[in-house]
């Protein structure tokens, strides 16, 4: 993956090899960044390409015709690379072998080089760009799928109002004053988040710059942005980042510190604000790296320091997630909090496996049950779990699978009841194993099922053959 950066070429020399349309497109970008253009071409393009000639003249650059100079492109490039900021090779006429030589010269001289449509010869690529005045959004596919980058650019173009450039300029106008008025980074960030996503921004989008300035002046003079922090208890869902709610994503982007557990997928952590402090408080069976009481105190401590604290939990925080204990502690100490539900593992695993938890012909109710062993025992009201018209979903039940199977059968549930084990539900690593209730322990052992996984028991499991869409399902007979 290439490193996305913004390069300052203001007033610097940029070498461009080529005189055709491809070279002209790159010259426009470089000229807009106020670069001086040094164009090396095999012909005199003043007549054939007047736009490129105008761009060179406007940049106070120079054009060199290697035919007239009676020198090879290699000789000219080696001479012109001195003090160059970068080089763009946009001349198909020289052939692939020559392009490779020219690229190698740039690499040898540690000059960033782009060879148009040859990503293997590039040390940097040009992204697709959305521009709104001083605001620019770049989309890159590392040169692998430029058409896709252009398609994404079109979608982003439709999302960003043209007035965003004016909003950027207004922020620049007040930047020094805000820094002087609000001396700590947390207060400044909160001020700008309120400003750039609040009434002042709306006035800018409506063309009312003076009203926007008045709002900013008032807030700077009257608002206190150093108030006590807040805790966001957010359900991260089962693993697929596309299952996050919009509200969850917004809060993930504004948190100062993040507490997360082992069930939160890496792809979801990538969506957290990049400069947020991250603290792992994961818990596994018989290995609680951070006890729950300590987690409760840490959430309180950081909130009282004025931080916006994100408690990110796999699934839904109120379904076997101990979220209730955490906010109970916060409420008792007067700390503000928000709770954002997530898609629980049962719903996601069932959906991705083609198993409806309820169905008119199979199950009129569903029950979520913890299969967590307490002192080696699983104490449940087994007689309440025998209804054939009820789907059972066991969380954390892998180590209690033998007990679940034996007790349900012993209390009267049919040994042939269809059962599905869903491992790593909703992500590409998902595996689904189907067996009878009697064969459940054997299925877990044969397929080496590992946590996280849920066990679904009931006749609805039969429907997986018709409805499964995510991946294949293994059977244990």
């Amino acid at each position: 993956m290439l490193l996305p950066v913004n390069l300052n070429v203001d007033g610097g020399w940029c070498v461009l090899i080529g005189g055709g349309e491809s070279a002209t497109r790159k010259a426009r970008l470089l000229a807009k960044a106020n670069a001086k253009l040094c164009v090396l071409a095999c012909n005199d393009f003043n007549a054939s390409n007047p736009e490129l000639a105008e761009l060179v003249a406007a940049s106070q650059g120079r054009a060199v015709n290697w035919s007239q100079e009676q020198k090879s492109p290699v000789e000219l490039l080696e001479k012109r690379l001195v003090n160059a900021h970068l080089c763009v090779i946009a001349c198909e006429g020289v052939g692939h072998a020559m392009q490779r030589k020219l690229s190698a010269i740039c690499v040898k001289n540690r000059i960033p080089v782009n060879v148009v449509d040859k990503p293997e010869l590039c040390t940097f690529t040009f992204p697709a760009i959305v521009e709104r005045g001083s605001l620019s959004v770049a989309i890159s596919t590392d040169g692998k799928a430029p058409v896709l980058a252009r398609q994404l650019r079109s979608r982003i173009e439709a999302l960003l109002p043209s007035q965003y450039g004016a909003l950027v300029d207004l922020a620049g106008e007040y930047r020094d004053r805000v820094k002087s008025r609000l001396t700590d980074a947390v207060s400044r960030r909160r001020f700008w988040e309120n400003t750039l996503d609040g009434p002042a921004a709306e006035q800018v989008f409506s063309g009312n710059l003076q009203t926007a300035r008045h709002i900013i002046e008032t807030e700077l003079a009257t608002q206190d942005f150093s108030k006590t922090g807040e805790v966001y208890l957010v359900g991260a869902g089962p693993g697929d980042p596309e299952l996050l709610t919009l509200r969850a994503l917004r809060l993930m982007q504004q948190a100062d510190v993040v507490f997360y557990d082992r069930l939160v997928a890496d792809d979801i952590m990538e969506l957290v604000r990049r400069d947020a402090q991250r603290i792992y408080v994961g818990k596994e069976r018989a290995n609680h790296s951070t006890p729950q009481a300590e987690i409760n105190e840490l959430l309180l401590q950081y909130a009282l320091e004025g931080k916006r604290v994100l408690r990110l939990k796999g699934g839904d925080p109120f379904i076997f997630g101990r979220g209730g204990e955490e906010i109970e502690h916060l409420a008792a100490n007067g700390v503000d909090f928000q709770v954002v539900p997530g898609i629980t593992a049962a719903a996601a695993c069932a959906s991705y496996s083609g198993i409806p938890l309820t169905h008119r012909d199979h199950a009129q109710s569903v029950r979520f049950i913890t299969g967590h062993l307490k002192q080696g025992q699983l104490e449940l009201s087994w007689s309440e779990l025998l209804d054939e018209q009820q789907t059972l979903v066991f969380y954390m039940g892998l180590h209690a699978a033998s007990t679940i199977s034996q007790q349900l059968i012993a209390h009267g549930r049919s040994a042939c009841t269809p059962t599905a084990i869903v491992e790593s539900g909703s992500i590409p690593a998902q595996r689904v194993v189907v067996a009878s209730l009697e064969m459940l322990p054997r299925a877990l052992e044969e397929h080496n099922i590992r946590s996280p996984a849920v066990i679904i028991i009931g006749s609805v499991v039969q429907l997986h053959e018709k409805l499964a869409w995510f991946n294949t399902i293994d059977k244990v007979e």
Side-chain angles (χ1 to χ4, degrees):
M1 179 177 177
L2 298 180
L3 177 68
V5 296
N6 292 319
L7 185 63
N8 184 2
V9 296
D10 186 12
W13 285 101
C14 292
V15 178
L16 178 59
I17 302 177
E21 178 57 33
S22 182
T24 304
R25 288 196 296 270
K26 295 299 185 282
R28 292 184 197 122
L29 291 172
L30 295 171
K32 188 174 288 188
N34 201 32
K36 290 184 178 179
L37 297 176
C38 176
V39 179
L40 311 181
C42 61
N43 61 344
D44 182 1
F45 53 77
N46 283 286
S48 62
N49 194 342
E51 182 186 358
L52 182 56
E54 289 174 7
L55 289 169
V56 173
S59 74
Q60 298 181 338
R62 62 171 69 99
V64 180
N65 184 328
W66 64 68
S67 296
Q68 291 179 349
E69 295 281 331
Q70 295 185 342
K71 293 182 179 179
S72 71
V74 170
E75 293 175 292
L76 288 176
L77 180 61
E78 288 177 328
K79 180 180 178 181
R80 301 299 178 182
L81 278 182
V82 178
N83 297 323
H85 281 56
L86 57 83
C87 176
V88 178
I89 302 170
C91 185
E92 288 288 341
V94 299
H96 185 76
M98 178 58 74
Q99 288 177 341
R100 184 177 294 278
K101 286 183 181 180
L102 296 171
S103 173
I105 292 171
C106 294
V107 172
K108 180 180 178 181
N109 286 275
R110 297 184 179 179
I111 302 297
V113 59
N114 174 268
V115 183
V116 175
D117 292 332
K118 299 289 191 304
E120 72 278 8
L121 300 181
C122 298
T123 60
F124 79 95
T125 61
F126 285 93
I129 300 172
V130 177
E131 291 182 306
R132 297 290 186 268
S134 300
L135 172 69
S136 63
V137 180
I139 306 106
S140 172
T141 60
D142 290 355
K144 298 174 183 176
V147 173
L148 176 60
R150 290 196 293 271
Q151 289 175 341
L152 292 175
R153 178 183 63 190
S154 297
R155 296 178 187 178
I156 295 173
E157 289 272 11
L159 293 174
L160 295 181
S162 59
Q163 295 87 352
Y164 259 102
L167 184 61
V168 172
D169 292 338
L170 186 64
E173 182 181 328
Y174 280 91
R175 183 177 181 184
D176 290 340
R177 287 185 57 189
V178 171
K179 191 172 184 179
S180 175
R181 164 74 172 80
L182 305 173
T183 56
D184 67 285
V186 171
S187 295
R188 285 197 299 273
R189 184 167 62 248
R190 291 185 179 178
F191 169 82
W192 284 121
E193 287 172 349
N194 290 343
T195 299
L196 300 177
D197 193 26
E202 290 301 323
Q203 292 299 323
V204 172
F205 296 152
S206 300
N208 303 320
L209 284 176
Q210 285 305 112
T211 304
R213 289 189 179 94
H214 175 72
I215 293 172
I216 292 175
E217 296 280 0
T218 302
E219 291 186 345
L220 263 179
T222 62
Q223 296 295 320
D224 179 11
F225 294 94
S226 59
K227 62 182 179 181
T228 301
E230 185 178 15
V231 175
Y232 312 136
L233 184 61
V234 174
D240 185 346
E242 292 191 2
L243 297 182
L244 285 168
T245 65
L246 294 175
R247 187 177 176 197
L249 185 59
R250 177 170 58 81
L251 295 178
M252 288 165 65
Q253 287 290 315
Q254 68 183 43
D256 303 308
V257 58
V258 182
F259 291 87
Y260 65 102
D261 59 44
R262 70 183 187 90
L263 295 179
V264 179
D266 291 342
D267 287 346
I268 289 175
M269 289 301 297
E270 283 293 316
L271 300 175
V272 171
R273 206 182 86 209
R274 294 206 178 271
D275 59 341
Q277 181 181 356
R278 303 180 182 205
I279 301 175
Y280 176 70
V281 290
K283 289 185 275 187
E284 298 180 56
R285 179 176 176 270
N287 180 25
H288 288 195
S289 62
T290 309
Q292 186 61 52
E294 186 177 336
I295 294 173
N296 297 347
E297 281 299 322
L298 285 170
L299 296 177
L300 177 62
Q301 172 191 325
Y302 278 88
L304 291 177
E305 290 176 3
K307 303 287 181 64
R308 285 176 298 191
V309 182
L310 173 68
R311 176 64 170 113
L312 201 56
K313 288 177 172 285
D316 181 277
F318 278 6
I319 298 181
F320 307 126
R322 305 187 74 172
E325 298 173 39
E326 293 171 356
I327 63 171
E328 187 178 12
H329 187 67
L330 297 171
N333 287 275
V335 171
D336 292 336
F337 59 84
Q338 298 182 43
V339 179
V340 182
I343 294 179
T344 189
C349 291
S351 296
Y352 277 57
S353 305
I355 303 173
L357 293 176
T358 62
H359 188 284
R360 186 172 61 177
D361 299 328
H362 295 271
Q364 284 69 55
S365 65
V366 59
R367 182 175 291 203
F368 298 163
I369 309 161
T370 175
H372 183 65
L373 292 171
K374 209 170 186 179
Q375 297 179 340
Q377 300 295 318
L378 182 60
E379 297 180 359
L380 297 173
S381 299
W382 297 103
S383 60
E384 297 178 6
L385 308 179
L386 306 180
D387 186 355
E388 297 291 337
Q389 300 298 307
Q390 181 180 74
T391 303
L392 306 180
V393 183
F394 282 87
Y395 289 67
M396 300 169 286
L398 297 187
H399 293 276
S402 292
T403 300
I404 292 169
S405 174
Q406 292 167 6
Q407 289 294 332
L408 286 175
I409 294 172
H411 281 79
R413 193 126 193 191
S414 170
C416 298
T417 302
T419 303
I421 310 107
V422 186
E423 176 187 277
S424 300
S426 84
I427 63 176
Q430 173 177 304
R431 287 197 299 159
V432 182
V433 176
V434 171
S436 66
L437 180 58
E438 184 180 32
M439 299 300 294
L440 173 62
R442 175 183 159 188
L444 292 172
E445 183 178 347
E446 284 187 358
H447 289 267
N448 194 29
I449 299 294
R450 293 288 179 265
S451 180
V454 298
I455 300 171
I456 304 173
I457 300 173
S459 65
V460 290
V461 172
Q462 301 174 64
L463 299 172
H464 73 85
E465 292 184 349
K466 293 181 180 178
L467 306 180
W469 61 273
F470 188 74
N471 60 7
T472 57
I473 297 180
D474 296 319
K475 288 186 178 181
V476 175
E477 302 295 344

